[in-house]
Amino acid sequence: PARGAAGGGPEGTSRSRVGKWRCRRWIGHFPWRSSADLAPDLAQRHLAQGLSDLSRLVRRLRPDVMHTHGVRANFRGRLLGRLQGVAVATTVHSFLAQDYRSELRAALSLQLDGATLQWSDRLIAISEALREDLIARGALANSVRVVPSGIAPLAPDPLTLPALVPHRPLLCVAARLPPAKGVDTAIEALTHLASAHLALLGEGPERAALSHLAANLGVADRVHFLGYRQDFPAIVSGADLLLVPSRAEGFGLAALEAMAQGVPVVASRVGGLPELIGDGGVLSPPERPAEFAAAIRTALRERAALSAAAKARAASFTLERMARETLAVLRQAREVRR
């Protein structure tokens, strides 16, 4: 946010209900969003190519706060904050040690992030589990605030997914396909579920290996690779359950989006998933396919009650709440730096 104007994160620039939270200028690069998503009537978009460009931009705009996301952005923002006297707030979305397939890259990223972690005036963790991880990595406890992610209401589309996979019970996984997402556990669980079919919505480096695993286990005819689907939050309403068999998960946005549609979740008991799901699903130990299958059977039996609980629980995770709480942390960062 530029001087004289307050603002939340990118979600906080929503056109509808931001009101006095407007920000005049926004520095950032969001390749997964369209320009319309950035509400150009409330924000200006500036692209900085590297540290020197960003440094010049910060000197010209003189922001009250820089809000950073991701290892490289965090390092650059924190460094410029120290050099130019600008407050820095950092949002952490995942467990850094699990973000890389290469152990070397993970170790280097942890070292780089850890060296500058205390240069953020305030840190936002999207779950209590991530807050604890940040403190364990060296963050000051009183500098970390928990602000869970929020989502916007969306009209359900219960017909598309059953049309693509016309079988019941219909289970769904919506995730990238690296090892950390544990999709292999969901596929192996099918060997304990005689008639269930699994729709996989996502792409990633493990797709070929997962297809090979399904064939070797004799369940290839019940595993349906549907690729990346941008309409996931709507079409998941056509599934009986959403599965989140992750080995690590900072929050579980796909789980929240399914719960908002009244779809119960069966998930690993890891990271931020237990505090998100609550009574809106069933939890199971990670990497145990037989126990995961048992949790699926339980969720199918109790689906009606779980569906109502999931929808009620998801209702409090709004964009407005997230923007309001993020704004409060940005203001704290500014006051700390002053």
Side-chain angles (χ1 to χ4, degrees):
R3 290 197 182 278
E11 293 87 347
T13 60
S14 170
R15 192 184 310 260
S16 58
R17 302 180 192 173
V18 180
K20 62 184 178 182
W21 304 347
R22 295 187 176 207
C23 63
R24 286 204 306 267
R25 305 184 184 98
W26 198 267
I27 306 169
H29 183 202
F30 305 95
W32 64 91
R33 292 172 177 236
S34 70
S35 58
D37 292 330
L38 292 174
D41 58 330
L42 301 181
Q44 295 175 16
R45 187 175 189 232
H46 304 269
L47 298 183
Q49 302 296 327
L51 185 60
S52 60
D53 277 2
L54 182 58
S55 178
R56 285 192 292 270
L57 192 57
V58 170
R59 284 199 302 270
R60 177 164 62 87
L61 297 177
R62 298 176 60 244
D64 288 309
V65 182
M66 286 187 286
H67 188 186
T68 67
H69 307 250
V71 172
R72 285 178 291 180
N74 294 344
F75 175 76
R76 293 169 180 173
R78 292 165 182 168
L79 179 62
L80 290 177
R82 299 274 292 191
L83 294 175
Q84 300 193 28
V86 178
V88 178
T90 296
T91 292
V92 178
H93 301 269
S94 60
F95 294 98
L96 190 54
Q98 302 292 333
D99 284 348
Y100 300 92
R101 297 184 70 193
S102 161
E103 291 185 7
L104 177 60
R105 288 189 65 188
L108 290 173
S109 296
L110 282 166
Q111 287 288 334
L112 179 63
D113 194 68
T116 61
L117 196 57
Q118 293 188 15
W119 292 4
S120 286
D121 298 280
R122 281 291 181 267
L123 292 149
I124 296 173
I126 61 173
S127 66
E128 186 62 39
L130 281 173
R131 180 180 184 273
E132 293 173 3
D133 180 67
L134 282 167
I135 294 170
R137 291 203 290 116
L140 300 175
N142 62 0
S143 72
V144 188
R145 300 289 183 268
V146 176
V147 179
S149 297
I151 57 175
L154 189 68
D157 174 7
L159 302 179
T160 295
L161 195 58
L164 294 170
V165 184
H167 303 280
R168 294 290 178 179
L170 177 52
L171 314 175
C172 180
V173 170
R176 293 177 295 109
L177 303 179
K181 292 299 183 180
V183 180
D184 54 309
T185 298
I187 292 175
E188 290 184 47
L190 285 185
T191 64
H192 303 277
L193 301 165
S195 58
H197 282 248
L198 177 62
L200 295 180
L201 309 182
E203 293 288 352
E206 293 293 298
R207 174 165 177 163
L210 293 170
S211 179
H212 188 64
L213 174 66
N216 284 346
L217 293 175
V219 295
D221 60 328
R222 294 194 282 133
V223 179
H224 308 269
F225 291 86
L226 303 182
Y228 171 70
R229 297 284 305 214
Q230 193 168 8
D231 57 353
F232 158 74
I235 69 172
V236 72
S237 59
D240 293 302
L241 301 174
L242 179 80
L243 310 184
V244 187
S246 301
R247 294 178 169 88
E249 196 72 61
F251 179 73
L253 190 60
L256 176 58
E257 290 171 328
M259 290 165 64
Q261 301 286 2
V263 177
V265 177
V266 175
S268 301
R269 192 179 288 106
V270 297
L273 288 169
E275 59 193 273
L276 167 64
I277 292 168
D279 57 357
V282 180
L283 297 172
S284 173
E287 300 186 85
R288 297 186 187 175
E291 293 183 44
F292 200 72
I296 290 171
R297 285 192 289 269
T298 298
L300 288 172
R301 283 196 307 269
E302 302 175 6
R303 189 182 186 283
L306 290 172
S307 175
K311 197 162 188 175
R313 186 168 181 81
S316 64
F317 291 84
T318 65
L319 289 179
E320 288 76 15
R321 176 208 45 80
M322 180 177 66
R324 181 176 61 253
E325 295 179 10
T326 299
L327 173 61
V329 177
L330 295 181
R331 284 176 168 158
Q332 290 170 6
R334 180 185 60 186
E335 293 307 312
V336 166
R337 181 57 61 101
R338 284 178 175 176

